Amino acid sequence: MTLDAQGMDATDRAGLNGQAPRCDHIDQLPTVRYGPPECKECLALGQTWTRLLVCLTCGWVACSDDSQGGHAKAHYQETDHPVAATLGPRSTWRWCYVHWRTV
Ligand SMILES: [Zn+2]
Ligand SMILES: [Zn+2]
Ligand SMILES: [Zn+2]
């Protein structure tokens, strides 16, 4: 019986239609106040950015991977904050660095 129960549990977590398990990081996010719409590290370096992302764990705003600096990714590597979103009132795009996909 113990083996059966574990088997069912694993199936549960696998998700539908062979998709990857859903990202549980987005369930753990607090409500944060976003920082100002600028990448402070780019400003300090005199660089420009393509897009801005906001860390949904702490509200830190930094430039996206396709910007010269890639400071949002650097923020994840420093802090382990897993999920970033594009900055903008209507944005629904969210990226989980741990699962390495949109969530
Ligand atoms: Zn995730
Ligand atoms: Zn930057
Ligand atoms: Zn953060």
Side-chain angles (χ1 to χ4, degrees):
M1 281 310 280
T2 310
L3 277 174
D4 282 343
Q6 282 174 353
M8 291 203 34
D9 196 37
T11 309
D12 255 12
R13 274 178 305 195
L16 299 170
N17 302 320
Q19 292 170 351
R22 70 181 290 275
C23 171
D24 50 2
H25 298 107
I26 56 174
D27 297 335
Q28 303 162 14
L29 297 173
T31 304
V32 291
R33 184 190 291 265
Y34 295 173
E38 61 191 25
C39 178
K40 289 189 175 60
E41 292 178 61
C42 280
L43 289 177
L45 294 166
Q47 295 176 347
T48 56
W49 52 81
T50 309
R51 280 184 303 155
L52 289 170
L53 303 181
V54 58
C55 170
L56 295 182
T57 304
C58 71
W60 176 256
V61 176
C63 57
S64 60
D65 287 6
D66 52 7
S67 305
Q68 191 179 357
H71 292 125
K73 188 177 177 182
H75 176 72
Y76 161 66
Q77 288 168 340
E78 281 174 24
T79 61
D80 270 343
H81 294 165
V83 188
T86 40
L87 195 66
R90 292 168 185 274
S91 171
T92 55
W93 187 92
R94 292 184 298 190
W95 179 262
C96 176
Y97 284 103
V98 178
H99 285 104
W100 202 249
R101 62 180 174 90
T102 53
V103 291

